[in-house]
Amino acid sequence: MEFHRLARSGQVPEGVVRRFFLDDLELAVSRFEGEVHISTNYCSHLACLLSSGKVTEDGLLCSCHGSVFDYATGEPLSPPAVKPIRVYPAREVAGEIFVGFEAPEAP
Ligand code: FES
């Protein structure tokens, strides 16, 4: 696993989801109960930007049609989405947020 620096911790306060890029990869980074979660920024339903959604106690809410995705697994917890979103390992060290990739897929 390779970890790449993505953002400063202060850029993702509690209860917020923001968009970040790592090369061409567009990611949604959210924080719920202190923990950082990273996923693709594209909803698996009709590709709305998840960074326009909301952090909820159930998961990341897509604001287009209301699907909620589990932070840890990316599984949809409510319709209309039926497919999971891709999630990535997150690490926070010394005030910086890092995203993890399997070595061969690192950007
Ligand atoms: S695009 Fe996200 S729920 Fe429809």
Side-chain angles (χ1 to χ4, degrees):
M1 179 81 58
E2 286 182 7
F3 280 83
H4 297 253
R5 185 194 173 281
L6 191 59
R8 283 181 286 108
S9 294
Q11 292 177 283
V12 188
E14 177 64 31
V16 158
V17 54
R18 296 237 159 97
R19 171 169 67 170
F20 292 93
F21 289 91
L22 191 67
D23 297 335
D24 291 338
L25 189 63
E26 187 172 341
L27 298 167
V29 183
S30 58
R31 189 185 296 276
F32 176 66
E33 293 188 337
E35 244 183 83
V36 171
H37 303 280
I38 303 175
S39 69
T40 173
N41 198 25
Y42 294 99
C43 181
S44 62
H45 177 228
L46 291 176
C48 277
L49 297 183
L50 293 168
S51 55
S52 299
K54 282 199 169 58
V55 169
T56 74
E57 63 179 11
D58 298 322
L60 188 57
L61 169 78
C62 177
S63 56
C64 280
H65 312 101
S67 279
V68 174
F69 297 91
D70 186 276
Y71 293 116
T73 66
E75 289 293 330
L77 303 174
S78 58
V82 292
K83 292 186 199 153
I85 55 169
R86 174 90 191 264
V87 294
Y88 297 88
R91 256 190 205 164
E92 201 166 16
V93 181
E96 310 234 65
I97 294 169
F98 296 82
V99 57
F101 302 95
E102 297 302 328
E105 65 168 5

